[in-house]
Amino acid sequence: MKEILFVEPIFKSMIWGGDRLRTEFDYTIPSDHTGECWAISAHPNGDCTIKNGSYKGKSLGWLWTNEGQLFGNRSENKYPLLIKIIDAKKDLSIQVHPDDSYADSYEAGAFGKTECWYILDCEEDAEIVIGHNAKNRDELRSMIEQERWRELIRTRPIKKGDFFQITPGTVHAIKGGTMLLETQQNSDITFRLYDYDRLDKGKPRLLHIKESMDVINCPHKDAAVDGSSIENSSGAIINLITDKHYTVQRINIYTEMILDQDKDFMNISVIEGEGEIDETKISKGDHFILPYGYGRFALKGKMSLIVSYK
Ligand code: ZN
């Protein structure tokens, strides 16, 4: 099909969110503490609708179920990926996600969550949490029981353009002052390990210590990422990662590139600049899907895109 499916994002207010989804991306947001833009999502907690064309007004979840040919008639019972932009004004809780088999036993039919982060922007001294310092499970258990969080949690500095893969079982947290684009499995299962003893409406948020201990990898090992690229005077393609859940690439257009949509479907987010895809204008903050069989397409202009497919 030769029709681009433009997707209407959904926004979520969070205690740690800010207003940069409005000031930097020009979105209409529900509050000055908006933390998440669910940019391409078919998850029941935020099922995006199509903005244009034959499927205008239909949700992505509905399309997956009823118009499976748009996505190559895949075997998954739901859209496999979820794309978010996150604006963390304050620190997010320290958390960990399960893999597919733990997720399915925890909530029947649920996917686990592998996710990856492309840092769109951050403050000069920004950091994130990835991993922990416990050498073995006994040490992990005692550090958690004794609340030795500073000793346990591993932080590292970040800068714009960095990319991180967060595999299931990895302790992680986005810290304040960071905007990033997240590509993840279509899952909303998060086990919260530590929330800095913060209160939300007067109460601490629920923690999942047992589930966290069940799934945390020990000792921690950083996941490998790709980073290989091809570049010429018209643009560059940077391969960020390929694993069993997704391939994620960054594409920088300097003038014009002709590419081929030969996957079951392709998610594209414009993260900087503006231009055209096949004569349709696109700019920073647009998100769309190229369906099955779309074939060759032309990107023109000066812009940076994040592309994912499975
Ligand atoms: Zn996460």
Side-chain angles (χ1 to χ4, degrees):
M1 190 183 85
K2 203 79 184 176
E3 188 172 314
I4 303 168
L5 304 171
F6 282 90
V7 179
E8 186 79 68
I10 289 170
F11 297 92
K12 306 266 181 183
S13 291
M14 299 285 183
I15 56 169
W16 44 261
D19 63 5
R20 296 178 75 190
L21 288 163
R22 179 175 62 232
T23 58
E24 314 245 334
F25 279 85
D26 223 14
Y27 294 129
T28 302
I29 55 174
S31 71
D32 284 343
H33 52 98
T34 300
E36 299 190 351
C37 162
W38 291 29
I40 300 179
S41 164
H43 195 281
N45 297 347
D47 191 358
C48 297
T49 54
I50 306 303
K51 292 209 283 199
N52 66 308
S54 335
Y55 300 104
K56 187 175 176 177
K58 298 286 189 206
S59 77
L60 186 52
W62 187 91
L63 281 187
W64 184 265
T65 306
N66 295 285
E67 301 286 347
Q69 77 286 352
L70 292 173
F71 315 103
N73 289 315
R74 295 178 63 94
S75 58
E76 294 98 334
N77 63 3
K78 51 185 174 276
Y79 200 77
L81 300 180
L82 202 170
I83 314 300
K84 291 182 187 175
I85 298 177
I86 292 179
D87 171 19
K89 185 173 182 183
K90 299 185 192 142
D91 297 345
L92 275 72
S93 59
I94 313 269
Q95 51 185 251
V96 59
H97 304 298
D99 63 11
D100 289 331
S101 78
Y102 193 97
D104 186 56
S105 63
Y106 184 77
E107 185 186 305
F111 289 145
K113 190 159 157 187
T114 298
E115 66 189 43
C116 59
W117 298 338
Y118 179 81
I119 308 297
L120 295 168
D121 194 26
C122 61
E123 287 170 4
E124 209 169 326
D125 54 352
E127 297 183 318
I128 49 167
V129 171
I130 295 186
H132 62 78
N133 295 314
K135 286 186 238 21
N136 54 52
R137 298 212 83 80
D138 286 344
E139 192 174 64
L140 177 74
R141 183 177 304 276
S142 62
M143 284 169 121
I144 291 173
E145 282 170 359
Q146 295 161 22
E147 304 188 354
R148 287 150 62 197
W149 303 113
R150 290 175 66 93
E151 227 180 305
L152 176 67
I153 301 304
R154 198 162 149 267
T155 58
R156 49 159 302 162
I158 53 168
K159 59 181 190 316
K160 184 175 173 172
D162 281 348
F163 178 77
F164 302 96
Q165 165 84 337
I166 313 289
T167 52
T170 300
V171 172
H172 65 283
I174 302 168
K175 298 190 52 103
T178 303
M179 274 198 110
L180 58 82
L181 185 140
E182 179 174 87
T183 304
Q184 56 164 93
Q185 285 182 275
N186 181 4
S187 166
D188 205 15
I189 301 186
T190 293
F191 298 140
R192 197 177 285 131
L193 176 63
Y194 175 54
D195 197 29
Y196 307 96
D197 305 312
R198 290 184 293 196
L199 300 180
D200 180 21
K201 297 176 191 108
K203 288 187 195 141
R205 294 196 291 173
L206 184 68
L207 299 179
H208 313 87
I209 301 290
K210 180 200 171 292
E211 292 82 0
S212 296
M213 299 244 262
D214 283 349
V215 304
I216 290 172
N217 298 330
C218 211
H220 167 75
K221 223 171 118 242
D222 277 330
V225 296
D226 188 342
S228 64
S229 62
I230 49 166
E231 182 168 30
N232 59 33
S233 60
S234 48
I237 299 176
I238 300 103
N239 299 304
L240 298 171
I241 193 153
T242 294
D243 87 344
K244 66 177 173 176
H245 300 293
Y246 44 64
T247 289
V248 183
Q249 297 172 313
R250 183 157 66 97
I251 298 185
N252 295 334
I253 305 297
Y254 307 144
T255 55
E256 177 174 7
M257 283 179 102
I258 307 287
L259 299 167
D260 197 17
Q261 197 316 59
D262 58 355
K263 316 298 178 203
D264 287 345
F265 61 89
M266 196 177 267
N267 300 313
I268 303 185
S269 299
V270 184
I271 58 167
E272 258 177 51
E274 57 188 4
E276 288 177 11
I277 176 166
D278 293 341
E279 318 295 320
T280 300
K281 284 201 175 347
I282 50 174
S283 60
K284 177 175 174 174
D286 284 336
H287 306 272
F288 52 91
I289 300 166
L290 299 183
Y292 183 78
Y294 192 91
R296 280 160 64 92
F297 61 102
L299 294 166
K300 274 184 234 173
K302 280 200 176 13
M303 54 187 175
S304 189
L305 316 167
I306 299 285
V307 174
S308 60
Y309 51 84
K310 188 181 179 202

